[in-house]
Amino acid sequence: MDTPNSDLKPDWLKELQLKSWEPEILLSGIVLYGMFQLPDALDSFLFFFQNEVFNVVNVMGLFVALLKVGINWLIIGLILHLVCRGLWIGMVGLSYSFPKGINHEKLNFRPKYLEKVRRVPGFEEIILRLERVCSFIYSISFLLFMSIVGVYIYAIVLVGIPFIVISLNIDSKDVNQALANVLNNYSSAVLVFGLVGVIDFVTMGYFRRFRAIAFIYWPVYRLFSYLTLARFYRPTYFAMVTNLNRWWLFFFLLVFSFISIIWVQSVQFSGPRASFSMIEIWSDKEGNQVFEGNYQDKKSKRPSVEVQIPSEIIRDDVLRVFIPLRVGRQDSLKKFMNYDSISNIADESFDQGQYYLQKTSEFYRLSIGDSTFKTKMYFQDVFSSKQKGFITYLNIGFLNEGLYELQVEGPKEMYDDLFAIVPFYKLN
C-alpha cells in the first residue's frame, strides 16, 4: 500500500496545517473557560444526588471524581499549550524583529563560552520545535481527557446505571446480605475486567500481539472500544505509539494511569479523613462520633441527610429538628402511607398535604433518653443547604442541664436500625 505523499495533499489542508495554531489557541481559551466552571457544577450535582436520591454516594462520588480528574488533566494540558504558544508567538515576533538572529561577533566571549552560544538553535529551528511541541501537547491533552471519559462511560454503563436502578427500586430494608454480596462481587468483576483494558492501553496493545490471546481478547476489545468511545482518541493514540519511543510512551502512560488512580481517590474522599493518618483508636459507627453535619450552626459542606438541629449546645427549652427528605426515604414513606391509593382521591375536601404530614409524623419516632415525643411535622425548604424536608419542634424544658442524645428512627416493621443519633448538651 502506498504511503501518503505530502504533494498529494489538497492545498486547503496544507494551509490549514500551517495555520493550525489559530484554532488551537481559540479552542484552548474557550474550552479552558468551560472546564473551570464544570467542577463546581459536578459538586452541585453530587450534592443533589446525596441529598435527594441516595445517601450512599460512593458509586456516584467515584463517577464525579473520574470526570473531575479528566477535566483537571485537560486544564493542565491546555494551560501548558497556551504557555508554549505564548513562547512560540514570542519567538515568531523575535525572528521578525531580528531576522539575522544572534550576532555572535558582538559578544566578545572567550572561545569556551562562545561555543556554548553557537550551539543555541536558530530562531526558525526553535519556532519549528515549539510548533511541534504545542501541537503534541494539544493533541495529547484531549487524548488523556477522552481516555478518562472512556473509563467513566465504562463505569457508568456497567456499574452506575445498575446500582442507581437498584437503589431507586429496592427499599433499603430489602437489601439483605446476600444481595449486598452479589452487588459487591459484580462490582469487583467489572473492576477486574476493566483493568484488562487499562493494561492493554498502557502496554500499547500487548494482548493484540499474540495469536491465541488476540483471538480470545477480540470480543473484549470490541466491547471496550464501544464503551470507552475509543474511536474518538484512537488516531492520536496510534500516532503516538507508532512515532514515539515505546519505552518513554509506556512510562508516560503508566505514570498517567497511576497518578489518575491516586487523584480519583483524593478527589472522591476529600476532607481531613482523606489525609494520611496514624490514628488507630477510631470508630465511625453510628452513635460513636459527632458528625458536624447534624448541627446547622456549623455550616458544614456536608449537611446531614438524616436529621439536623440548630447547635450542639442548646440553651432554649424548645429543640428545632429538621429531617431532610430524599428519594430513597420517600419510597418508604409512600409505602407507609399507601401513597398510590391516596394520590388518586378526587375529593376536593381531602387535604393531601395534611395527610402527608400526619403520616410522616407517625413514620418518624423521635426520642431523648426514655422520653418519646409526639410531633407535628411541617414541610420546610432550607435555602442555605438546598434541602427539602420536614421541620418539627420538641419541648425539652423538662430536661436538666447535661448531655443528651436525640434518636431518630422509623417504623419497627420497616427498619431495624436507628436513622441517626445526635448528641447535644442542654444548658440551663
Side-chain angles (χ1 to χ4, degrees):
M1 185 175 179
D2 296 335
T3 56
N5 193 324
S6 60
D7 294 334
L8 300 179
K9 293 180 181 179
D11 293 337
W12 65 267
L13 181 56
K14 294 179 182 179
E15 183 178 356
L16 188 62
Q17 288 175 329
L18 291 173
K19 296 183 178 180
S20 64
W21 62 273
E22 295 176 351
E24 281 181 14
I25 293 179
L26 180 63
L27 283 174
S28 291
I30 295 175
V31 173
L32 263 179
Y33 177 79
M35 291 298 102
F36 278 119
Q37 314 302 316
L38 277 179
D40 288 339
L42 289 172
D43 286 338
S44 297
F45 167 75
L46 184 61
F47 184 76
F48 151 77
F49 190 84
Q50 180 186 15
N51 278 344
E52 296 196 7
V53 181
F54 197 46
N55 185 25
V56 181
V57 294
N58 290 344
V59 174
M60 187 55 65
L62 174 62
F63 297 149
V64 170
L66 276 171
L67 272 184
K68 290 172 73 173
V69 168
I71 289 168
N72 289 333
W73 276 119
L74 187 57
I75 288 174
I76 292 172
L78 292 180
I79 289 176
L80 287 175
H81 171 258
L82 288 178
V83 170
C84 289
R85 276 299 175 192
L87 294 173
W88 179 83
I89 292 173
M91 292 305 301
V92 170
L94 199 62
S95 66
Y96 176 78
S97 301
F98 306 102
K100 293 183 180 181
I102 301 174
N103 192 337
H104 301 92
E105 286 71 20
K106 289 188 176 182
L107 291 176
N108 294 324
F109 285 172
R110 301 300 299 169
K112 183 185 297 185
Y113 296 98
L114 187 60
E115 181 62 26
K116 287 286 186 182
V117 178
R118 291 185 186 278
R119 293 179 184 176
V120 176
F123 289 160
E124 291 185 3
E125 185 178 351
I126 294 176
I127 291 170
L128 291 175
R129 287 182 182 178
L130 284 173
E131 172 68 29
R132 288 194 291 268
V133 170
C134 291
S135 296
F136 175 75
I137 292 176
Y138 187 77
S139 298
I140 202 172
S141 298
F142 282 94
L143 167 65
L144 300 183
F145 175 72
M146 288 306 301
S147 63
I148 293 288
V149 171
V151 174
Y152 173 82
I153 298 297
Y154 171 84
I156 197 77
V157 170
L158 294 186
V159 180
I161 293 177
F163 269 66
I164 292 174
V165 171
I166 290 173
S167 67
L168 294 178
N169 290 278
I170 296 182
D171 194 280
S172 58
K173 176 69 175 178
D174 300 325
V175 181
N176 53 35
Q177 189 60 43
L179 178 58
N181 291 335
V182 170
L183 294 176
N184 289 333
N185 292 334
Y186 171 75
S187 301
S188 300
V190 171
L191 177 62
V192 172
F193 194 62
L195 285 177
V196 174
V198 173
I199 293 173
D200 187 66
F201 175 79
V202 172
T203 57
M204 294 161 283
Y206 179 81
F207 298 131
R208 288 169 269 172
R209 298 173 192 166
F210 307 97
R211 178 176 299 179
I213 299 178
F215 177 77
I216 300 173
Y217 183 64
W218 174 249
V220 178
Y221 171 74
R222 295 289 292 174
L223 178 63
F224 283 143
S225 296
Y226 284 117
L227 291 182
T228 62
L229 307 177
R231 67 176 62 185
F232 293 103
Y233 60 83
R234 188 177 287 142
T236 305
Y237 175 75
F238 283 114
M240 292 194 305
V241 168
T242 55
N243 289 280
L244 299 178
N245 183 289
R246 287 204 167 205
W247 284 108
W248 279 108
L249 184 57
F250 168 74
F251 179 74
F252 170 77
L253 292 176
L254 188 64
V255 171
F256 160 71
S257 301
F258 178 76
I259 292 177
S260 297
I261 292 173
I262 300 300
W263 206 346
V264 166
Q265 295 296 317
S266 65
V267 171
Q268 182 183 8
F269 304 108
S270 59
R273 292 178 59 191
S275 58
F276 291 102
S277 175
M278 296 181 66
I279 301 300
E280 298 177 357
I281 305 176
W282 177 264
S283 171
D284 57 2
K285 185 178 179 181
E286 185 67 47
N288 292 340
Q289 67 168 334
V290 178
F291 176 46
E292 68 172 11
N294 289 131
Y295 309 103
Q296 294 173 327
D297 62 341
K298 298 292 185 182
K299 297 182 175 17
S300 172
K301 292 183 179 180
R302 294 177 54 231
S304 172
V305 296
E306 294 293 354
V307 62
Q308 299 170 25
I309 62 176
S311 176
E312 57 189 346
I313 298 178
I314 303 298
R315 295 177 170 82
D316 302 323
D317 291 336
V318 176
L319 179 64
R320 188 173 70 251
V321 180
F322 174 67
I323 301 176
L325 182 62
R326 60 184 186 280
V327 173
R329 186 61 49 75
Q330 180 178 253
D331 291 340
S332 299
L333 266 170
K334 285 182 176 180
K335 185 184 297 185
F336 180 79
M337 65 177 60
N338 296 319
Y339 176 83
D340 292 335
S341 60
I342 297 300
S343 60
N344 295 324
I345 296 179
D347 186 358
E348 295 184 358
S349 63
F350 177 71
D351 190 335
Q352 286 187 343
Q354 287 297 321
Y355 177 81
Y356 295 157
L357 292 175
Q358 175 189 342
K359 285 298 182 181
T360 301
S361 300
E362 298 173 7
F363 180 85
Y364 288 101
R365 182 174 180 270
L366 281 65
S367 61
I368 299 176
D370 297 331
S371 302
T372 301
F373 296 85
K374 285 189 175 182
T375 62
K376 180 176 176 57
M377 297 281 186
Y378 296 90
F379 295 112
Q380 186 174 60
D381 187 351
V382 180
F383 180 78
S384 58
S385 64
K386 298 181 176 62
Q387 291 176 302
K388 294 182 175 66
F390 307 100
I391 188 79
T392 189
Y393 306 89
L394 308 181
N395 183 357
I396 57 173
F398 66 93
L399 295 178
N400 296 322
E401 183 171 319
L403 182 64
Y404 297 92
E405 291 179 349
L406 170 66
Q407 297 187 356
V408 183
E409 56 187 322
K412 294 292 186 182
E413 64 274 14
M414 299 180 70
Y415 294 95
D416 294 329
D417 300 326
L418 296 171
F419 291 159
I421 299 175
V422 185
F424 67 94
Y425 193 90
K426 175 67 164 59
L427 191 65
N428 292 330

